[in-house]
Amino acid sequence: MKRIPGPKSLKDKIAIVGGGPSGIHMAYKLKNAGFENVVVFEGSEDVGGKSRTIYHRGVPHEFGTCYGQPDYTEIYDLVREHDAGDILPMPGPDMWVDTPGGKVPLKTSQYYGLEARKLRPDLANGTELQFFMAAIQKYVRLHGELFGQYEGMLMPRPDRTVLAATNMTFLDFLRKHDIEILKALFIPAATMQGYGHVDEISALYAMMWLTPKFLLGIIPRTDGTRNIKILSKGFQFLWQEMKRQNNLNVKLNSPVLGIIRTRKGFRVIYRDCKFFRFEKFDFLILTPTLRTMSNIIQFNREENSYFQRSFDYYIISTLVDTTYGRRSGAPTGYYVDNINSKIDNLVWGFRDSYASLRDILGTNYSSGIYPGGTDGRKIESSIYYQEPQSRPNRATAKRILRNHIENVNQAKVLKVQKQIVWDNYFPRFSIPDMASGILWDIFDMQGKYGIWYIGSSVSFESLTGVVGYNNLLLKHVDIPTK
Ligand SMILES: Cc1cc2nc3c(=O)[nH]c(=O)nc-3n(C[C@H](O)[C@H](O)[C@H](O)COP(=O)(O)OP(=O)(O)OC[C@H]3O[C@@H](n4cnc5c(N)ncnc54)[C@H](O)[C@@H]3O)c2cc1C
């Protein structure tokens, strides 16, 4: 196995820029491996990055990371190891579709049936789900043939023929293999999570995310098992507990403003309260979107040739208190036709956090007999998602959200509690760049310039993406002995 250069001694001073999931996980792994001088610089007031949980009415509301998938074994192990709350089953979403009478909610299995019939009107009644399952089985087989078995999200570098066979959008890939029906599944499993439209995203990214285990784990189940999980105390709590319990050296409110490469290592310039400080380090680990890091460190030609090619999306998460309006039996819903329309700022989905955590479903939910928070009041507090492709205007986004709540949910907005606009979401590369093997070229550059580049912009925008990447990298590193 090719070895990646890393810190030379357990006493080396290592700077990690960014206290999000990738930075905290890496600091934890390095500490466990025996490194004694690891410092994490976090620009904001807390760790967690895009895992951001905000308490309102006694309930944790997820503005960022919200779900765990069947592939999240290591994340769940970390939650248990740090006693960071309960891992709870997430109620499945309803899929709201447009009809002449307005938007109506469908169960996911009904929606898949409808989509199957649109594609194959000749299907015998009642066989829609079989058709769907056959496509999943075929996809699982294809995935295995193309990439084999591997750990984490980044598969081993595919050979030229495989890269050529995936040099297309995911929709073209599905069509080529006569499994187009899976585009229906892509909406709740990927597009809604901010991973692009099926007719735009590289087949390679789609297949990194939709592993066989994930796909087989999320299909509608007859035994009632629900494989999408939420955390009773929120995802940010995990990173906070990892920092606290492992006594990780994290400097909060310490944005890194500049990094100078020197002959022996790096000088990190950061702000600490009102003061600018300098510190010398032997080794550097960068976690934020690497394209944006060029303001801080002068990248060389090779680094720039990769990092400047990435581009990203926006996600707007808004916590709103409303009256109880028109409700289906699911405390979470996705607006399929808004998503497919690609019109910026339309509402893509919502999640009523309290009902989801308390598993209030069916008529218990639709009839509105339960309160919407621990204060006992019948007010709904939901997170709404809008996922524009261009930089949003907050006022416009709020106005569209308000209209949606009034017209579709038939509810009254009581208060917009908080809105976060996430930029640099899902930093990624174009289809031809992916097919040229850019992610593996970056992996081959790891350590070459005394830097490890980690985080979502070199892996995938998810916890398994960034944690799996750290593990893969560390597997290729020789840990020095004392
Ligand atoms: C709305 C939303 C929903 C999501 N849902 C899910 C989900 O359900 N499941 C899932 O697995 N993932 C989900 N994700 C994605 C997941 O949260 C991210 O993939 C993950 O947080 C990436 O971790 P990271 O460490 O690479 O980057 P980040 O989380 O972005 O962390 C980077 C950190 O670096 C800090 N930083 C940046 N610049 C500097 C600087 N100059 N100096 C110091 N610090 C700096 C930032 O403040 C930040 O804390 C979601 C994200 C969002 C926004």
Side-chain angles (χ1 to χ4, degrees):
M1 194 190 284
K2 181 183 171 286
R3 307 316 292 164
I4 289 178
K8 295 191 177 55
S9 145
L10 292 177
K11 297 204 178 305
D12 273 7
K13 279 194 76 185
I14 304 169
I16 301 182
V17 181
S22 61
I24 294 299
H25 180 257
M26 182 54 93
Y28 162 79
K29 285 278 177 177
L30 291 178
K31 186 155 192 179
N32 282 351
F35 288 96
E36 295 166 18
N37 288 308
V38 181
V39 182
V40 180
F41 292 94
E42 170 51 49
S44 71
E45 71 288 351
D46 208 346
V47 295
K50 293 190 208 93
S51 287
R52 178 89 64 87
T53 312
I54 294 175
Y55 272 77
H56 169 58
R57 301 177 61 210
V59 180
H61 294 272
E62 300 285 26
F63 278 76
T65 321
C66 38
Y67 306 130
Q69 326 279 27
D71 274 327
Y72 279 43
T73 320
E74 180 173 357
I75 303 293
Y76 299 146
D77 287 346
L78 289 169
V79 171
R80 289 186 201 99
E81 181 187 330
H82 294 90
D83 196 15
D86 298 322
I87 302 164
L88 304 170
M90 173 67 199
D94 274 351
M95 305 294 284
W96 292 70
V97 296
D98 284 358
T99 69
K103 291 190 191 301
V104 295
L106 298 179
K107 296 273 149 243
T108 32
S109 51
Q110 286 175 312
Y111 161 73
Y112 293 148
L114 190 81
E115 290 295 306
R117 194 150 286 286
K118 269 193 213 161
L119 205 63
R120 286 278 309 275
D122 59 310
L123 281 178
N125 265 345
T127 60
E128 296 90 346
L129 280 183
Q130 271 163 269
F131 173 62
F132 197 76
M133 285 306 301
I136 289 186
Q137 299 296 350
K138 186 167 178 189
Y139 173 85
V140 166
R141 207 174 52 245
L142 270 169
H143 198 285
E145 283 164 13
L146 290 170
F147 308 115
Q149 302 267 336
Y150 57 93
E151 276 174 30
M153 273 187 86
L154 186 67
M155 57 283 272
R157 185 191 277 268
D159 65 27
R160 274 165 184 269
T161 32
V162 173
L163 289 175
T166 52
N167 186 4
M168 57 189 76
T169 66
F170 192 46
L171 182 61
D172 285 340
F173 179 86
L174 296 178
R175 285 188 174 144
K176 186 172 149 194
H177 295 283
D178 201 18
I179 46 175
E180 187 177 342
I181 181 58
L182 295 187
K183 72 180 182 194
L185 185 141
F186 198 74
I187 290 187
T191 307
M192 183 57 215
Q193 320 305 324
Y195 301 148
H197 293 281
V198 69
D199 58 351
E200 290 175 1
I201 198 71
S202 138
L204 264 173
Y205 274 125
M207 286 193 273
M208 279 169 70
W209 176 240
L210 296 179
T211 61
K213 187 173 172 191
F214 176 18
L215 224 62
L216 292 169
I218 58 163
I219 49 181
R221 313 191 83 80
T222 45
D223 63 358
T225 320
R226 284 181 272 149
N227 277 334
I228 303 296
K229 308 287 183 189
I230 45 182
L231 300 186
S232 65
K233 296 186 179 172
F235 278 90
Q236 189 174 10
F237 188 61
L238 169 63
W239 313 112
Q240 290 166 334
E241 283 303 284
M242 282 176 70
K243 166 185 171 277
R244 190 182 66 79
Q245 293 179 29
N246 300 290
N247 206 11
L248 302 179
N249 184 358
V250 182
K251 289 184 189 291
L252 296 175
N253 296 309
S254 301
V256 171
L257 305 174
I259 298 171
I260 299 163
R261 299 181 198 245
T262 65
R263 239 172 0 101
K264 287 196 175 153
F266 302 88
R267 288 177 80 189
V268 172
I269 306 155
Y270 65 101
R271 207 178 57 224
D272 174 10
C273 295
K274 287 186 188 141
F275 303 104
F276 292 97
R277 298 194 189 277
F278 294 79
E279 226 172 293
K280 283 187 192 165
F281 287 89
D282 302 298
F283 199 80
L284 181 66
I285 303 177
L286 298 175
T287 80
T289 302
L290 286 152
R291 196 190 63 249
T292 67
M293 289 277 93
S294 60
N295 299 331
I296 287 167
I297 180 166
Q298 197 170 9
F299 283 133
N300 62 33
R301 190 187 294 205
E302 185 181 9
E303 292 168 322
N304 262 328
S305 72
Y306 300 132
F307 303 150
Q308 293 312 321
R309 303 173 82 89
S310 82
F311 52 98
D312 28 55
Y313 287 135
Y314 300 88
I315 295 196
I316 312 171
S317 311
T318 313
L319 174 63
V320 192
D321 287 345
T322 66
T323 56
Y324 285 4
R326 178 168 78 115
R327 292 169 148 207
S328 74
T332 178
Y334 302 159
Y335 300 103
V336 177
D337 295 289
N338 285 1
I339 297 172
N340 282 336
S341 78
K342 299 188 184 176
I343 299 172
D344 274 0
N345 297 315
L346 289 191
V347 176
W348 280 24
F350 79 98
R351 183 184 52 257
D352 175 333
S353 312
Y354 184 72
S356 298
L357 287 163
R358 292 289 169 104
D359 219 25
I360 302 170
L361 314 173
T363 46
N364 282 345
Y365 187 67
S366 56
S367 63
I369 54 172
Y370 287 98
T374 57
D375 55 12
R377 297 168 71 198
K378 286 196 180 169
I379 292 173
E380 178 174 328
S381 300
S382 283
I383 297 270
Y384 288 84
Y385 296 101
Q386 292 155 281
E387 308 192 15
Q389 299 216 16
S390 48
R391 182 172 287 283
N393 171 301
R394 277 176 184 266
T396 308
K398 270 191 195 156
R399 181 175 47 74
I400 293 174
L401 173 57
R402 194 174 275 273
N403 284 344
H404 176 98
I405 291 171
E406 284 168 6
N407 297 323
V408 178
N409 301 13
Q410 293 164 15
K412 191 165 170 254
V413 174
L414 300 173
K415 189 164 184 201
V416 175
Q417 289 291 346
K418 189 173 177 70
Q419 183 176 69
I420 297 182
V421 176
W422 300 101
D423 48 14
N424 303 318
Y425 186 80
F426 189 24
R428 65 194 183 283
F429 297 101
S430 69
I431 296 174
D433 280 347
M434 283 298 280
S436 76
I438 193 165
L439 288 184
W440 296 275
D441 293 341
I442 294 172
F443 193 77
D444 287 346
M445 190 178 66
Q446 295 288 358
K448 188 169 162 189
Y449 303 111
I451 305 179
W452 291 343
Y453 319 91
I454 64 171
S456 55
S457 67
V458 293
S459 54
F460 192 92
E461 187 71 274
S462 75
L463 298 190
T464 31
V466 299
V467 160
Y469 196 84
N470 285 352
N471 294 337
L472 185 68
L473 195 153
L474 290 171
K475 224 161 108 178
H476 289 73
V477 171
D478 294 317
I479 304 292
T481 45
K482 269 202 196 276

